[in-house]
Amino acid sequence: MDNLAPAITPPRGLGTNPPMHRGVLNWVQEVARLTQPENIFWCDGSAEENTYLLEEAQRQGIVHKLNEEKVPGSYLHRSNTNDVARVEQFTFICTPTKAEAGPTNNWAEPAETYLKLNGMLKGAMEGRTMFVIPYIMGPPDSPLAKVGFEITDSIYVVLSMRIMTRMGDVAVQRLEGSENGEWNRGVHSLLDVNPDRRLICHFPQDNAIISVGSGYGGNVLLSKKCLALRIGSYLARQQGWLAEHMLILGVESPEGQKHYVAAAFPSACGKTNFAMLIPPERFQGWKVTTVGDDIAWMQIAEDGRLHAVNPENGYFGVVPGTSHKSNANAMKSIERDTLYTNVALTDDGDVWWEGKDGAPPAHAIDWKGADWTPESKKKAAHPNSRFAVPMRNNPVLDPEVEKGEGVPISAIIFGGRRSNTMPLVFQARDWEHGTFLGATMASETTAAATGAVGQVRRDPMAMLPFCGYNMGQYFRHWLKIGPRLKNPPLIFHVNWFRKGADGKFLWPGFGHNMRVLEWIIDRCEGRVGANEAPIGFVPRPEDLDIEGMQNVSSATLTELLSVKADEWEKELEGQEKFFKTLGSDLPEELNAQHDKVAARFKS
Ligand code: SAT
Ligand code: MN
């Protein structure tokens, strides 16, 4: 499928109504003068517009309509094969000084970068349609909601943004009614989808983003990682709230007592699965509901608690491995109205991927568009292939998802993919120690970003690729939030991925994570004890309910919860090394937390 769209002529009345906002109009004119599109299409978010754009995208071969009986209302897109994941090496934070971006970000000088990008964008949309997408992040009536406009020459981006955000006139209205008039300007052009001319640049001080040379999800759906996290975290620090790479879930006991939990895991470590968890049989009457699966915006509410909203309107989840067994709620969500990217296409117009239920098809077209059979050595679906689906498709969508003030958070969970060292779960001693747990998080890398897979890297709060400013300053911001909360959430660390001596996972994960969640909720309620270990509060084996688990004996559980001094010696060294890279911006409190853990091991 060719990514380079020729111009389209919409039917009369569609795409022709610009918002009456002087700033937006001027900016769009300016970008149009530079990029020279054949025409400008103003998106209003209507159903009629969507129908038309889907037809047009099919005509151009950008999306393929799937079998209406098997997956109604769903489409398949194949990205360029050189363009299948976020490109961290080409992602830049262009703050006035390098120090503001900090040592963990790529930095580029703003004026020079604007010049360079403008050079690349010159005439870039000749013969193409330029779409202008207004969108809101957050429930429209939320004090946290933000308006953005994305200009793009990719119809796939428009179709995706309609799923992932509250898109169209609703955003224009919100901007008109807003007090501060704040809005984000995002410019995206495919150019020639050439990795040598691929750049994702953020200008937080201007509330602006420019992305060129890519057509893949996180690089080009500027609402998501670019606005909601990189620019979002920068604004959050200025404005006193938190923009985090966290899922938000609700958990309700059989007695009807409800808690909300936010959890940060790096990309492709199971946030979507955890957010849609189905409790095992043993947990009859427990309900888990989803507020969000990727991003949380959190503010200090009047009740002195941290409240969270999900700024997004849809899910952009990893497809391979998704099955009725691993995530039945995701399967139900993506059986209709779904925009798939880089999965395999079966001969009967259905989609397929590694790990889907049932036998593989005898023949399919793989994510690159080539013939595939089960004998093929290559994967049918790309490991980072994705679904984009409206959140309203989720059978366990939380009823409070549109609530402007957000849901009160009882617990924050940090976690990574670690073969060793990290116990299944433990609890921080307090907010400061919890901030330290987030700051020292590490995880084995996944296919969500280009580069080697399976290497342990420090990924503080799962924000390493997404923090729009200096990481040390970000930790300082976290440390300031805690004391302002009358009733701060408790903070935990989990690891679903610990392996035994035989190299096999010790914990089955998925629905069984409910067992860990129950302990967390019990801790919030003060109903259960724990062992005080040097690293924090670790459950005693008898505190975790493993009844009905086939492969987890009490010996396995003891292993899962073990804190091994030799592993921790290495871990503490790794943490210290990472902290050193942050230089003088690292808050002293976190060094002190590190030393206290080390001292507790010694005593
Ligand atoms: O590509 S995205 O950044 O949108 C998804 C992810 O990596 O979490
Ligand atoms: Mn993510």
Side-chain angles (χ1 to χ4, degrees):
M1 294 178 200
D2 190 355
N3 268 319
L4 305 181
I8 53 171
T9 327
R12 273 188 91 75
L14 267 190
T16 54
N17 295 312
M20 289 300 128
H21 184 282
R22 178 111 335 261
V24 173
L25 287 173
N26 287 345
W27 167 70
V28 171
Q29 288 306 333
E30 197 185 301
V31 177
R33 267 197 301 277
L34 176 68
T35 58
Q36 297 289 310
E38 179 100 8
N39 49 29
I40 301 178
F41 188 106
W42 301 88
C43 299
D44 62 13
S46 64
E48 204 191 352
E49 170 182 283
N50 194 43
T51 305
Y52 164 69
L53 292 174
L54 280 166
E55 274 169 21
E56 188 53 33
Q58 285 177 80
R59 195 182 65 72
Q60 294 180 24
I62 290 166
V63 300
H64 176 95
K65 173 137 182 61
L66 296 168
N67 186 318
E68 186 59 23
E69 254 127 60
K70 298 197 182 272
V71 247
S74 300
Y75 297 81
L76 169 64
H77 168 76
R78 293 192 194 108
S79 73
N80 193 306
T81 55
N82 72 29
D83 186 31
V84 293
R86 280 184 291 102
V87 283
E88 294 176 7
Q89 69 279 32
F90 304 134
T91 300
F92 288 84
I93 302 298
C94 308
T95 39
T97 65
K98 188 168 174 9
E100 283 162 274
T104 60
N105 281 310
N106 298 315
W107 175 79
E109 200 278 323
E112 268 171 32
T113 310
Y114 275 126
L115 261 176
K116 176 168 163 182
L117 291 165
N118 286 349
M120 294 165 101
L121 283 167
K122 198 160 181 229
M125 297 189 190
E126 266 172 35
R128 297 184 193 173
T129 294
M130 179 171 110
F131 299 93
V132 186
I133 311 167
Y135 65 94
I136 310 185
M137 297 306 278
D141 69 347
S142 174
L144 286 171
K146 302 271 178 223
V147 174
F149 282 78
E150 177 166 354
I151 289 177
T152 178
D153 55 8
S154 160
I155 202 167
Y156 165 74
V157 167
V158 185
L159 295 171
S160 305
M161 289 290 285
R162 183 188 160 84
I163 296 172
M164 295 305 299
T165 71
R166 294 158 177 92
M167 185 265 249
D169 288 345
V170 58
V172 177
Q173 284 152 19
R174 160 88 199 191
L175 180 58
E176 277 162 3
S178 89
E179 277 163 32
N180 58 12
E182 178 188 83
W183 57 284
N184 177 272
R185 46 197 87 195
V187 178
H188 165 247
S189 175
L190 293 162
L191 306 184
D192 54 352
V193 197
N194 176 347
D196 295 335
R197 292 173 7 108
R198 187 167 292 158
L199 285 171
I200 325 294
C201 299
H202 306 72
F203 303 86
Q205 64 284 3
D206 303 333
N207 201 355
I209 307 157
I210 302 178
S211 163
V212 294
S214 171
Y216 166 78
N219 297 333
V220 299
L221 311 179
L222 301 184
S223 58
K224 197 174 179 53
K225 299 301 159 72
C226 301
L227 171 55
L229 289 180
R230 297 197 189 98
I231 302 273
S233 59
Y234 180 97
L235 295 175
R237 179 187 174 215
Q238 281 179 343
Q239 300 168 358
W241 50 282
L242 292 170
E244 300 301 326
H245 192 201
M246 291 180 182
L247 67 93
I248 310 159
L249 62 78
V251 50
E252 194 179 326
S253 71
E255 296 78 40
Q257 190 183 47
K258 188 150 187 188
H259 285 277
Y260 288 95
V261 169
F265 310 141
S267 300
C269 288
K271 282 200 298 299
T272 307
N273 292 338
F274 194 45
M276 297 183 179
L277 179 151
I278 297 174
E281 241 168 81
R282 162 113 187 96
F283 286 77
Q284 271 257 332
W286 285 82
K287 265 191 279 182
V288 171
T289 47
T290 319
V291 179
D293 81 326
D294 194 38
I295 298 172
W297 282 357
M298 304 192 281
Q299 60 169 342
I300 301 166
E302 270 162 29
D303 61 3
R305 300 184 69 186
L306 199 57
H307 281 229
V309 299
N310 169 15
E312 301 192 280
N313 201 27
Y315 311 128
F316 186 63
V318 176
V319 182
T322 308
S323 68
H324 284 285
K325 195 163 160 262
S326 68
N327 191 341
N329 288 323
M331 287 302 282
K332 277 184 215 135
S333 308
I334 63 177
E335 64 192 16
R336 62 199 151 87
D337 316 322
T338 302
L339 178 51
Y340 288 93
T341 301
N342 294 342
V343 297
L345 175 67
T346 65
D347 294 346
D348 56 359
D350 199 352
V351 275
W352 193 78
W353 53 83
E354 280 75 14
K356 194 180 183 184
D357 306 271
H363 174 265
I365 304 294
D366 71 11
W367 69 275
K368 290 184 171 177
D371 287 307
W372 182 93
T373 66
E375 285 72 51
S376 300
K377 295 244 157 25
K378 293 187 175 142
K379 299 245 191 264
H382 188 276
N384 192 37
S385 52
R386 298 272 171 161
F387 56 76
V389 70
M391 68 177 177
R392 63 170 183 276
N393 272 24
N394 179 0
V396 295
L397 188 65
D398 190 88
E400 305 283 23
V401 73
E402 295 288 345
K403 199 172 174 179
E405 68 176 84
V407 296
I409 298 297
S410 303
I412 289 177
I413 305 176
F414 294 116
R417 197 180 268 274
R418 296 292 298 272
S419 305
N420 48 49
T421 315
M422 289 294 163
L424 180 61
V425 58
F426 65 102
Q427 185 196 335
R429 307 167 79 91
D430 52 31
W431 181 271
E432 189 181 292
H433 181 224
T435 303
F436 169 76
L437 293 189
T440 51
M441 240 174 84
S443 192
E444 288 151 26
T445 49
T446 68
T450 53
V453 167
Q455 246 131 48
V456 175
R457 74 165 180 182
R458 296 285 145 192
D459 188 352
M461 284 138 175
M463 284 289 279
L464 182 71
F466 307 121
C467 185
Y469 63 101
N470 185 303
M471 191 59 86
Q473 294 296 334
Y474 167 74
F475 297 154
R476 284 172 196 261
H477 180 52
W478 260 81
L479 290 173
K480 276 196 208 133
I481 294 282
R484 291 177 53 201
L485 291 162
K486 261 205 311 281
N487 215 332
L490 301 186
I491 301 182
F492 298 82
H493 189 285
V494 301
N495 176 23
W496 318 136
F497 302 94
R498 198 165 187 178
K499 290 179 178 168
D502 59 359
K504 294 207 179 103
F505 289 118
L506 291 166
W507 182 250
F510 299 106
H512 292 292
N513 295 337
M514 180 65 222
R515 299 169 190 272
V516 173
L517 200 49
E518 187 195 30
W519 184 75
I520 289 174
I521 299 305
D522 282 347
R523 289 295 289 172
C524 294
E525 289 288 337
R527 277 196 295 244
V528 68
N531 271 332
E532 194 175 343
I535 63 170
F537 299 105
V538 185
R540 299 163 300 195
E542 65 270 24
D543 293 330
L544 276 180
D545 183 343
I546 54 166
E547 203 178 298
M549 293 186 85
Q550 269 147 27
N551 297 320
V552 179
S553 61
S554 62
T556 315
L557 188 59
T558 304
E559 173 75 8
L560 273 161
L561 296 173
S562 63
V563 178
K564 298 183 180 165
D566 55 332
E567 289 180 344
W568 274 90
E569 197 177 321
K570 270 219 229 103
E571 174 64 19
L572 286 163
E573 272 169 30
Q575 294 178 359
E576 194 176 351
K577 217 166 119 198
F578 173 64
F579 276 178
K580 286 218 169 97
T581 66
L582 298 180
S584 60
D585 290 298
L586 182 83
E588 224 6 84
E589 291 92 327
L590 296 189
N591 270 328
Q593 284 289 341
H594 175 275
D595 295 348
K596 275 190 240 171
V597 178
R600 285 198 291 265
F601 268 106
K602 289 215 176 81
S603 67

